[in-house]
Amino acid sequence: METLEQLRESLQEATRLKEQAEWYRKESELLLGSMQTVLMADTPQEMFAQVFGVFKQLLECNHCFVLEAQKPGTLYCSACSDGVFSDSSWQVGGLFKRILQGKTLTTFRVAQIPEWESQPESLRSDVGSALYSPVELQDQTAILVLTSPDVGAFSKNDEQLVARFSALVAQTMANVSAKLLVTENQKLRAAKEKAESDLLHAEKMASIGQLAAGVAHEINNPMGFIFSNSTMLKTYIGDLSKLLSALNDWVAADSEPSPEQLTQCYGQLCELWEELDVDFLREDMQGLLDDNQAGLERIRDIVLALRSFSRQDEGTWEAYNLNEGLELTLKMVMNELKYKVEIRKDLQTLPKIYCQPGRLNQVWMNMLVNAGQAIERHGTITIATEPAEQGVIVTITDTGCGISKEDQARLFEPFFTTKGVGEGTGLGLSISYSIIEQHGGRIEVDSRVNEGTRFSIYLPVEPPEFEADQV
Amino acid sequence: MQILSASSLASSPQDAVAELTDTLPPTQPSLAILSGNVRMFSADALAPLKERCPLLMAGSSCLGVMTDSGLAQGDDSGLGLFAIYDDDGDYGVGSAALGDDPVKAGADALTAALQSADREWETPDLIWCILPPGSEEQAIQGMVELVGTSVPIIGGSVADNQIAGEWVQYIDGALHHDQVVVTVFFPSGNVGFSFSSGYSPGSVTGTVTRAEGRTLLEIDGEPAADVYNRWTGGLIEDVPVNGNILMLSTRNPLGRLVNTGGDGEGFSEYLLSHPASVTPERGIQLFTEVNEGETLHLMRGDMDSLINRAGRVVDTATKLLPPDQTAAGALIVYCAGCMLTVGESMPDVVAGIKAEFSAPFLGVFTFGEQGCFLDATNRHGNLMISAVVFGDK
C-alpha cells in the first residue's frame, strides 16, 4: 500500500504528465480548429489574419508579422497583425541567417540584437522578446516573427508549437497561391469568355448586317403591296360611302316614302351599284384584305425571327431540338438564298441535346450563309440531321465553288477569309469551331474545288463537362 | 546525440581522471560535466581532461557520484563524467564570481555561457548550474532577470564531504569555491525534466516571526529550535548549541507552500528547508532563506520514499520527452542530506533509477537543489531530487 508521501509523488508525476497532455491537446485542437479557417482564406492578408489570430489565442504575443526577402541582405515586413511593422525593412544578420537556414528560435531580449537595433525606437519600444520561425514559401524562405512585451516570454513549447504551425502557414501560403492562380485563371477565363461572347455578338451582328439588305427587301415587299392595297381600299371605301350616302338620304327622310319615291330610289341605287361595280368592289376588297393580312403576318414572322436571332445569347444551357434551330435559322437566311439556291431538308427525328441554342444557331447561320456565298449562280444546299451515338450529326452540303486544300488548312483560323474586303469578318468559322468545341462536339469539312463543300458537325447529347446546375 | 558516462573509484585524482579519459572516444565531446568527491579535484590532475573536453563544467559532490555503473563514493574517491556528443546542438559554459552581488553574478555567468555557445541572444532550452551554497536564490534571480521565466533552471549546490566549506569548482584550469557556474543547453533533441519532493505536510504549522537570511530565529514568537523540538517530539532535545542536526532533521524538514495548484485540482507544492544546526539564540540554521510572515509546515518523509524517489523522478522526466524521441542520458541531482540519511541503502537508489532508466546517467549529491516547479517557477530548495533527461531524435 502506498504511503501518503508516495501518493503525493504519484500525484505530482501525474500532474506533470497531465499538464503536458493538456498542452498537446490544446495545441492539437487549435491546429485542427484553425486549419479549416486558415485554409479558407482567399488572400494572403486574410490568411495571415487567421494565422495571427490563432497565435494570439495561444501565445501571449502583442505583434505577429512576416518578413520576406526584398533584395540581397534585406527583408521587409509583408504582413503584420496590427500594421505596426508593415513595410519595415530589416537587415539580415547572423540571427536571421540561422533562421533562414531552417531554425526556429527565440530571443529572450531583443535589445542589442543587431537586427532589432536597425529598427526605429518607436517600433521596438514595446517588444521585450521575440520568437522566429522560418516559413517555406514557393520561391523563398520567409520569417514569421511573434513578439511579446515581456523579456523571455517564449518557452521551448512555444517554439515547437510555432515551428509546427509554420509548416501549416507554408502549406496555407502555397494553398493561397494556388487559390490566387485559380482565381487568376478564373478571371482570365471570364475575360476570355467575355471577349469571346463580345466577339460572337459582334460577328453575329455583322452577319445580321449582312442579311439586313435582304431582310429589308423581305419586309419592303409586303409593305409595298400592303401600302398599295391600302390605297385601293381607301378608294373602295370612298365608293361605298357614296352608295351609303344615297341610301342614307332616303333612310333619314322625315316621312314615309311614297311608292313613286321608292321606285325612284331603287332606280338611283341600281344605277349607282352598276356605276360603282359593287360586286367587284366586294370581291376585290376581300382579296386586298387577305393579301394585307398575309403581308403583315410575313412581316411579323421576319421581325420575330430577327429579334430571336439577334438576341444577345447569355450562354444558357438547355435541352433543345436542333431541328427547330435549323428551321429558324433557315427562315432568317432564306431571303439571302432563295433566288439562287434550292434548299433541301432531310431533318430526322433527333433527341434533345443540352446546348446553348442561340450559339448553335449562329453556327448554322454561318454555315448557310457561307454555303450560299459559295454558290455563284444556282445550286443546292442540303441540310440534314440524324441521330448518332450519344449525340446528333448535322451536315450542311452545298454545290458551290469548294475550298482549296490550302484554304481548308486555315479555315478555322480567326480573321481568315477568302471573301473580298468588307464582305466577311473572317471570324465566322473560327467562332463556329469554338462554339462546337465548347459543346464537346467536333466539326469536319470535306470539300472539293468546283464541286462543293460539306460541313459535318457532331454534337453530344451532353457535353463532357456538363453539370446539371447549368441547366 | 550520444551520451557517455563513466566513473572511477581510483584513489588518486590523476588515476581517476586517466580512467575517465580512457573511456572517451577520440573526438571531443560537445560538453562534458565532471562531478565527484572534493578530494578528486586537483587542477593539475584535471588539466588532461580539460584538454580532451574543452567545454567542461566541473564541481564537487558530497562523497562522490552515482552513475549507471553504480555508486562511485568514498571518503577520498569517487569521480564521474557525463559527456554529450551532439553535432547538431550548441552548448556553452560560463562563470562569474559570487562577490557581493550574487544576482549580478547569476546574470553574468549566464551571459558568459550564452556567449560561449555563440547564442548570445537566444533562449536556451535548459540552464544547468552548480552554485556555491549560500546565495542560490539570488543567483537564480539574476538568471531569471536576464532570460525571463520560461527557461528551466536546474542544478545543485556544490558540496564537500563534511559541510566544511571545502566545496570546489574547476574553471579554466583553476579551482574555485565561490563561482556561479552555468551551462546553457541548445540540444538537438528535447529535454524532459522533473523536480520532486515527496514529503508530506503534517498538521503542525507556524508563522515565521523572526528570521535573518537563512537563520530562522522565531516561530510564532518562540525560539525556532524550541518550537521545532516540540513539533518533532523532542528530536533535537539533546543537541548542543551549534550542533549539527542535518541527519536528525532529514525526515522532518520545514516546508512552505509555494504553489497551491491553481484551481484546487492541481498539485500543491512545498519548498523544503533543511534544518542544519541550532544557533546560540536557539534559532535554526537552514540551507534556504526564509522570510518573516511565511507559514512553515512540519513535513514528514520516510526512508522508502528517499530510496525510491529518484527512480520515479527520472521516469517522469523521461515520459515528458516527445513520443518520437528516446532518452539518450540523464543528469540527476540528489540531495546530499537524503543521501547521507539513506546511507548504506544508496545502491538501492541506483538500482531504482536503473530499473526505470536504461541510458547513461550521472547523479550528484548536493547541498541545495535548484529546479522548476509545476508553476513554472525556478526555485532553490532542500531535500529535493531533480532529473533532466536528454532526448535523441
Side-chain angles (χ1 to χ4, degrees):
Chain A
M1 183 178 165
E2 284 190 300
T3 63
L4 187 58
E5 269 182 66
Q6 288 165 338
L7 284 173
R8 279 185 57 79
E9 284 182 359
S10 298
L11 180 58
Q12 186 181 28
E13 177 186 325
T15 304
R16 282 196 191 275
L17 295 174
K18 176 176 164 266
E19 278 189 354
Q20 190 184 48
E22 282 287 324
W23 171 266
Y24 284 145
R25 183 190 60 77
K26 191 176 174 187
E27 176 189 302
S28 299
E29 279 181 8
L30 270 168
L31 284 172
L32 286 172
S34 57
M35 178 86 76
Q36 192 177 5
T37 51
V38 168
L39 290 177
M40 282 171 68
D42 284 328
T43 64
Q45 288 73 22
E46 246 181 70
M47 185 211 62
F48 283 126
Q50 298 283 2
V51 171
F52 296 155
V54 171
F55 282 137
K56 286 197 163 186
Q57 192 180 345
L58 189 63
L59 305 175
E60 298 281 334
C61 51
N62 57 347
H63 306 296
C64 309
F65 53 95
V66 171
L67 301 176
E68 290 187 44
Q70 187 173 36
K71 57 188 178 185
T74 309
L75 302 175
Y76 82 103
C77 176
S78 60
C80 180
S81 59
D82 51 9
V84 169
F85 288 92
S86 293
D87 298 325
S88 57
S89 184
W90 298 69
Q91 299 300 310
V92 178
L95 182 75
F96 279 3
K97 275 183 186 165
R98 278 174 37 71
I99 299 159
L100 291 170
Q101 285 165 2
K103 179 78 180 163
T104 295
L105 55 88
T106 65
T107 50
F108 52 84
R109 189 187 295 271
V110 301
Q112 297 181 330
I113 297 177
E115 276 86 346
W116 282 90
E117 280 195 321
S118 65
Q119 296 303 306
E121 174 61 27
S122 59
L123 285 186
R124 52 190 162 99
S125 58
D126 66 344
V127 176
S129 53
L131 193 165
Y132 320 78
S133 187
V135 182
E136 289 299 327
L137 305 182
Q138 279 183 323
D139 54 352
Q140 62 161 305
T141 302
I143 298 178
L144 174 70
V145 185
L146 279 68
T147 67
S148 165
D150 301 323
V151 168
F154 299 107
S155 68
K156 180 75 177 176
N157 274 347
D158 299 336
E159 217 178 275
Q160 294 187 335
L161 168 70
V162 174
R164 272 193 281 277
F165 222 105
S166 292
L168 171 65
V169 170
Q171 182 189 339
T172 307
M173 292 188 90
N175 178 70
V176 168
S177 299
K179 267 191 175 183
L180 288 176
L181 276 178
V182 169
T183 307
E184 197 64 25
N185 282 344
Q186 284 171 342
K187 281 181 185 169
L188 285 172
R189 197 180 301 137
K192 179 172 169 276
E193 284 173 0
K194 173 77 168 52
E196 281 179 356
S197 176
D198 290 348
L199 206 56
L200 210 64
H201 189 60
E203 209 279 333
K204 184 190 278 186
M205 295 316 288
S207 303
I208 289 169
Q210 234 174 332
L211 296 173
V215 171
H217 175 75
E218 196 70 8
I219 292 174
N220 274 341
N221 198 16
M223 285 290 283
F225 69 73
I226 289 169
F227 183 75
S228 171
N229 288 354
S230 297
T231 306
M232 281 307 295
L233 283 168
K234 194 176 175 184
T235 305
Y236 290 169
I237 288 168
D239 290 347
L240 287 174
S241 291
K242 287 179 188 171
L243 187 65
L244 290 172
S245 293
L247 190 59
N248 188 54
D249 289 344
W250 289 102
V251 172
D254 293 336
S255 54
E256 286 285 321
S258 64
E260 292 78 17
Q261 285 176 313
L262 281 173
T263 304
Q264 186 188 351
C265 171
Y266 178 72
Q268 280 180 350
L269 288 174
C270 286
E271 195 177 316
L272 200 53
W273 192 277
E274 286 293 323
E275 185 187 331
L276 295 175
D277 197 358
V278 173
D279 290 336
F280 168 77
L281 212 64
R282 288 170 62 193
E283 190 180 338
D284 201 34
M285 276 180 73
Q286 187 59 51
L288 291 175
L289 287 171
D290 289 345
D291 285 350
N292 276 10
Q293 175 76 19
L296 288 169
E297 283 177 1
R298 203 164 146 198
I299 291 170
R300 183 195 64 190
D301 288 348
I302 292 167
V303 169
L304 280 176
L306 191 63
R307 185 189 295 166
S308 166
F309 202 83
S310 62
R311 177 176 57 87
Q312 171 68 56
D313 196 302
E314 299 296 339
T316 307
W317 291 80
E318 60 183 273
Y320 189 68
N321 186 339
L322 285 191
N323 287 340
E324 289 178 24
L326 284 162
E327 292 278 17
L328 175 67
T329 309
L330 193 57
K331 196 180 284 183
M332 279 300 304
V333 299
M334 198 58 204
N335 187 66
E336 183 85 342
L337 306 176
K338 65 184 178 185
Y339 300 110
K340 57 178 179 179
V341 174
E342 179 190 347
I343 300 292
R344 293 176 184 167
K345 292 191 284 187
D346 179 14
L347 305 180
Q348 298 183 23
T349 304
L350 297 178
K352 286 186 175 180
I353 70 166
Y354 286 104
C355 63
Q356 295 168 299
R359 294 199 171 171
L360 288 181
N361 288 347
Q362 193 169 353
V363 175
W364 314 142
M365 190 184 77
N366 280 322
M367 300 284 167
L368 290 170
V369 168
N370 283 347
Q373 289 174 339
I375 296 168
E376 196 175 346
R377 292 178 185 274
H378 186 77
T380 59
I381 294 175
T382 305
I383 305 167
T385 60
E386 60 177 312
E389 189 182 352
Q390 296 182 331
V392 299
I393 292 174
V394 178
T395 54
I396 295 173
T397 311
D398 68 68
T399 56
C401 59
I403 308 164
S404 70
K405 288 288 178 193
E406 294 77 26
D407 288 348
Q408 279 184 45
R410 304 183 59 198
L411 209 52
F412 299 106
E413 287 179 17
F415 306 110
F416 174 75
T417 180
T418 57
K419 300 169 190 171
V421 176
E423 290 181 22
T425 61
L427 290 170
L429 282 178
S430 164
I431 287 175
S432 296
Y433 187 89
S434 172
I435 291 170
I436 297 300
E437 203 176 37
Q438 283 170 6
H439 281 75
R442 58 180 180 271
I443 182 167
E444 291 169 3
V445 58
D446 180 17
S447 183
R448 288 171 185 268
V449 174
N450 298 326
E451 290 182 29
T453 302
R454 183 175 67 208
F455 284 93
S456 301
I457 295 136
Y458 166 80
L459 287 164
V461 170
E462 283 188 8
E465 294 180 5
F466 178 79
E467 293 175 7
D469 60 2
Q470 287 177 302
V471 177
Chain B
M1 173 187 275
Q2 188 188 4
I3 292 178
L4 301 175
S5 69
S7 61
S8 171
L9 278 168
S11 55
S12 88
Q14 285 78 6
D15 291 346
V17 168
E19 274 187 34
L20 297 181
T21 309
D22 286 347
T23 64
L24 296 175
T27 52
Q28 291 181 345
S30 310
L31 171 72
I33 294 177
L34 179 82
S35 188
N37 193 314
V38 69
R39 307 285 175 230
M40 291 290 103
F41 278 73
S42 149
D44 291 342
L46 292 172
L49 184 65
K50 174 69 178 173
E51 200 172 316
R52 277 297 285 283
C53 309
L55 198 63
L56 177 67
M57 180 193 217
S60 58
S61 165
C62 185
L63 293 172
V65 295
M66 59 181 171
T67 69
D68 44 299
S69 301
L71 278 172
Q73 277 187 316
D75 290 340
D76 295 307
S77 65
L79 198 62
L81 184 69
F82 186 80
I84 297 175
Y85 296 82
D86 184 11
D87 291 341
D88 297 325
D90 285 314
Y91 303 83
V93 178
S95 61
L98 205 56
D100 55 4
D101 191 349
V103 175
K104 183 175 182 299
D108 288 349
L110 179 53
T111 300
L114 290 166
Q115 288 169 345
S116 161
D118 201 19
R119 302 279 199 101
E120 197 172 355
W121 320 112
E122 296 177 36
T123 311
D125 293 6
L126 169 72
I127 296 170
W128 179 266
C129 55
I130 51 175
L131 308 173
S135 306
E136 292 95 333
E137 290 93 342
Q138 290 84 357
I140 290 173
Q141 181 190 337
M143 295 180 218
V144 170
E145 284 177 3
L146 181 67
V147 297
T149 57
S150 62
V151 188
I153 299 172
I154 298 173
S157 308
V158 282
D160 57 9
N161 296 341
Q162 293 169 331
I163 322 177
E166 294 177 345
W167 45 76
V168 65
Q169 298 149 318
Y170 174 74
I171 303 163
D172 294 331
L175 298 179
H176 298 268
H177 307 277
D178 60 350
Q179 298 277 314
V180 173
V181 187
V182 168
T183 296
V184 289
F185 288 73
F186 297 91
S188 57
N190 277 53
V191 171
F193 59 89
S194 188
F195 183 55
S196 172
S197 152
Y199 289 78
S200 300
S203 57
V204 183
T205 62
T207 303
V208 178
T209 48
R210 197 169 150 227
E212 290 175 4
R214 295 190 169 194
T215 306
L216 173 63
L217 293 167
E218 289 181 3
I219 299 172
D220 295 333
E222 290 184 65
D226 295 343
V227 174
Y228 181 78
N229 188 50
R230 187 168 69 245
W231 283 358
T232 56
L235 189 68
I236 58 171
E237 185 77 42
D238 302 325
V239 175
V241 169
N242 294 326
N244 187 320
I245 58 171
L246 275 171
M247 295 290 283
L248 291 173
S249 64
T250 297
R251 292 167 65 179
N252 290 108
L254 296 169
R256 284 166 288 163
L257 182 62
V258 290
N259 174 23
T260 58
D263 55 8
E265 291 181 359
F267 179 77
S268 54
E269 289 181 298
Y270 292 83
L271 184 64
L272 301 185
S273 300
H274 195 176
S277 59
V278 178
T279 66
E281 6 0 16
R282 300 293 296 161
I284 298 176
Q285 190 65 40
L286 303 170
F287 272 105
T288 69
E289 289 184 0
V290 286
N291 301 300
E292 291 174 3
E294 290 179 328
T295 301
L296 294 178
H297 299 253
L298 181 67
M299 309 295 288
R300 60 166 184 260
D302 60 37
M303 186 65 84
D304 284 346
S305 291
L306 294 179
I307 293 171
N308 298 323
R309 192 181 307 153
R312 298 183 72 147
V313 171
V314 176
D315 182 45
T316 302
T318 307
K319 286 175 180 168
L320 292 170
L321 289 177
D324 59 343
Q325 294 186 25
T326 55
L331 285 170
I332 300 165
V333 179
Y334 195 95
C335 170
C338 294
M339 180 270 290
L340 293 170
T341 302
V342 170
E344 292 182 351
S345 295
M346 273 308 292
D348 294 339
V349 173
V350 177
I353 296 170
K354 291 184 71 174
E356 302 290 350
F357 192 75
S358 56
F361 67 86
L362 172 69
V364 297
F365 305 113
T366 56
F367 285 170
E369 296 74 44
Q370 298 84 45
C372 188
F373 281 56
L374 287 170
D375 61 356
T377 303
N378 295 300
R379 294 188 177 91
H380 163 73
N382 300 148
L383 299 162
M384 307 267 189
I385 296 175
S386 287
V388 176
V389 175
F390 300 96
D392 186 22
K393 282 186 177 175

